[in-house]
Amino acid sequence: MRGLAVLFAAATAACLAERGPLTNRMAQSGTSYLARAARQPVNWQPWGREAFALASRLDRPVLLYVGNDACHWCVETDRAIYTDPEIGSLINALFVPVRVDRDERPDVAQNYQTAVERLAGLHGWPLTVFLTADGSPFFGGTYFPADDPITGRGLKQLLPEIAKRYRAERPFIEQQAARMRQFMLTGEGEAPGMLRASMLQNEIARVARDLDDAVRAGMTGNSVTHVEAASLLLTEYARFRDTNALAVARRALDLMLDTANVAAGDDAPQLARAALIGALAKAWVVTGDGHYRDAGRTRLRAVARELPDVASLSGDAVFSDQQAFIMENAMLAAATLGEPAVETRARAAFDVLLQRSYARGWGVRHAVGGQSPSATTPPGLLQDQVQVASACLAAHQLTGDRRYLDVAIDLAAILEQHYADPLGGYYDAVEPSPSGQPGSPTVLGDRTKHVFDDVLPGANAAAAAFLAHLAVVTRDLAYRRRARATLEAFAGGMTNAGMRGTTFLAAARETLGNP
């Protein structure tokens, strides 16, 4: 099998040689994760129109690979697979390889993760997806080994087989890919429905069962989703004295605090630690257990030391959505746990983030580094606007400073002007410019709507939570109506969402009030 694969690759490479070889273009990338791939024997291309136009011109499928530094299996894939010259030769001869940093393009990552879940029933990282030249997925998965001749699922077996099928079964593949593209565009979990207290109660009980199962399996370490689920259950206990919710939340937090049980995960460690300090602060308030206070303080100081000096960024970019999430959790936890120095440091870092990422009437950009935003800077993603807006409300709550509230109100207006879908919910990015210039947030022109939690809280769910909070702060019920309309755009698809629906459930509780 391998001999045939190499012969097939060599023949294809010879056929394409006269059109000029691809070259690895990762050296000038904006993140260190991508730039390190410049040393690999794969001719990686950056995500964008140019790569897909090249695939169309060469009549090849695209091999899309999405990963990042925090993902254990992404690191393993780079170490053991994409350094293999044989695999590099197969990819270069048969595909147009495109590499994406999950943190730099979370919109792309989420869209194709949705596709892989539908194609293969898999959720996780990295993503390896095969696309037609218009970006439609027809085959994919997460981690593939380099060589598996027994099952045929190694890349050395799959690559020539997929390229062969692409040529021999083109009409079927394009039809399948078009259906998958349409599924991606409908939005993950998007289905209108009514918000009902009974539905919330049932789904929160499911979150408790799923989190308890994860605890029993020892799988709650280094996961924002698991921490946020524990936080939701703590709130349930505070509101309704649900002792089962409290017991599950405490078991989860106790396991997370046992560092011996924290295995490598897919989430950025800084994000998981930030979520954890927020949950520990809440656990101390809810239970009065000093163990949570002391553990929270220790971890809070460590998070404070890791806050980036955004003002002096000159190398790898940081991202507004992630930094705002970290800083909001640090500010609130510091105020709760009695760490004024950390609160001051976190708020000062957030002030710099606002200065470098936000412009009034324009919004927040995604990657922070270099110049402050201007009219020519590409606008950020929905996730950036929502996470920064939420952090602004936290800063206003702690300080009473009106300027934070003014930014939150401005971002709420920007959500409505540039991200809202008239049919309900918010798109992950702004409408692409007619010119399709490089740097447009949706280079291939696709906008989708996401609600489920992943590396960060789901963008639409977080938008609803922000709007509900803004309604309380401003006493403007129009924001609460917007929050409810956003939630109802997805309510019909939230049954059995489990822990990935945690932020939606928290926002719905806040919006509906106590049943």
Side-chain angles (χ1 to χ4, degrees), residues 234-247:
L234 289 170
T235 301
E236 284 297 292
Y237 174 74
R239 282 178 170 166
F240 308 114
R241 295 300 167 189
D242 184 337
T243 55
N244 179 65
L246 176 63

Side-chain angles (χ1 to χ4, degrees), residues 491-505:
M494 297 307 296
T495 303
N496 300 327
M499 288 185 285
R500 297 182 65 205
T502 292
T503 302
F504 177 95
L505 297 170

Side-chain angles (χ1 to χ4, degrees), residues 169-321:
E169 304 173 20
R170 182 71 61 86
F172 172 77
I173 283 177
E174 289 181 342
Q175 184 180 46
Q176 179 190 32
R179 286 197 298 267
M180 278 305 309
R181 186 184 186 92
Q182 188 58 43
F183 171 75
M184 290 165 62
L185 291 176
T186 60
E188 185 185 26
E190 185 181 355
M194 294 294 294
L195 281 184
R196 300 185 186 279
S198 59
M199 181 272 281
L200 299 184
Q201 195 65 41
N202 289 338
E203 291 308 309
I204 291 171
R206 183 177 297 277
V207 168
R209 290 195 298 272
D210 289 353
L211 181 59
D212 208 28
D213 288 344
V215 170
R216 295 179 193 283
M219 297 176 61
T220 61
N222 198 32
S223 168
V224 173
T225 300
H226 290 130
V227 177
E228 294 294 295
S231 182
L232 172 68
L233 297 179
L234 289 170
T235 301
E236 284 297 292
Y237 174 74
R239 282 178 170 166
F240 308 114
R241 295 300 167 189
D242 184 337
T243 55
N244 179 65
L246 176 63
V248 173
R250 294 193 67 155
R251 284 196 291 271
L253 292 176
D254 291 345
L255 183 61
M256 293 171 194
L257 291 176
D258 183 355
T259 55
N261 288 311
V262 177
D266 290 338
D267 293 0
Q270 298 93 329
L271 295 177
R273 285 194 288 269
L276 182 57
I277 60 173
L280 290 171
K282 184 182 289 188
W284 179 57
V285 170
V286 168
T287 68
D289 188 334
H291 172 61
Y292 295 127
R293 178 198 58 207
D294 296 342
R297 283 176 171 171
T298 299
R299 285 159 176 78
L300 178 61
R301 292 165 189 158
V303 167
R305 289 192 295 270
E306 293 176 350
L307 289 173
D309 183 4
V310 185
S312 61
L313 284 176
S314 58
D316 209 21
V318 298
F319 302 103
S320 297
D321 53 353

Side-chain angles (χ1 to χ4, degrees), residues 299-468:
R299 285 159 176 78
L300 178 61
R301 292 165 189 158
V303 167
R305 289 192 295 270
E306 293 176 350
L307 289 173
D309 183 4
V310 185
S312 61
L313 284 176
S314 58
D316 209 21
V318 298
F319 302 103
S320 297
D321 53 353
Q322 296 188 7
Q323 293 305 315
F325 178 83
I326 293 169
M327 293 167 185
E328 177 182 357
N329 277 278
M331 286 188 286
L332 292 174
T336 303
L337 297 172
E339 291 285 335
V342 175
E343 181 186 344
T344 299
R345 177 179 172 84
R347 193 167 64 252
F350 182 59
D351 286 341
V352 176
L353 178 68
L354 280 179
Q355 180 184 355
R356 297 295 295 275
S357 68
Y358 164 77
R360 184 168 184 81
W362 178 89
V364 177
R365 65 175 171 178
H366 180 57
V368 183
Q371 299 296 319
S372 296
S374 68
T376 60
T377 306
L381 303 168
L382 173 63
Q383 194 91 29
D384 299 304
Q385 320 308 317
V386 170
Q387 292 296 336
V388 170
S390 181
C392 281
L393 287 184
H396 172 70
Q397 174 185 336
L398 296 173
T399 66
D401 193 328
R402 174 73 196 198
R403 65 192 174 98
Y404 294 119
L405 181 57
D406 288 341
V407 174
I409 291 172
D410 182 50
L411 289 175
I414 287 169
L415 291 186
E416 203 64 22
Q417 293 165 6
H418 300 299
Y419 296 84
D421 179 358
L423 299 178
Y426 297 93
Y427 289 111
D428 59 352
V430 299
E431 186 77 36
S433 63
S435 63
Q437 294 177 352
S440 172
T442 51
V443 178
L444 297 182
D446 291 345
R447 298 200 297 167
T448 55
K449 293 182 283 186
H450 293 279
V451 69
F452 292 135
D453 295 353
D454 190 42
V455 177
L456 286 172
N460 269 276
F466 157 65
L467 292 168

Side-chain angles (χ1 to χ4, degrees), residues 80-169:
I81 294 175
Y82 289 131
T83 55
D84 187 320
E86 184 179 341
I87 289 178
S89 295
L90 284 169
I91 292 172
N92 296 337
L94 302 173
F95 302 91
V96 172
V98 174
R99 188 177 178 92
V100 168
D101 185 328
R102 182 184 72 181
D103 294 335
E104 184 178 44
R105 292 304 304 262
D107 53 332
V108 174
Q110 287 179 314
N111 289 346
Y112 287 103
Q113 184 182 75
T114 299
V116 167
E117 286 189 48
R118 174 59 65 94
L119 286 167
L122 298 172
H123 182 89
W125 304 96
L127 294 180
T128 306
V129 198
F130 296 88
L131 320 175
T132 61
D134 68 352
S136 302
F138 63 90
F139 183 83
T142 52
Y143 172 81
F144 289 101
D147 195 10
D148 191 349
I150 296 176
T151 67
R153 299 289 292 180
L155 282 181
K156 292 181 182 180
Q157 292 78 40
L158 280 174
L159 293 171
E161 180 61 28
I162 290 170
K164 181 179 178 181
R165 283 186 54 215
Y166 185 76
R167 296 184 178 280
E169 304 173 20

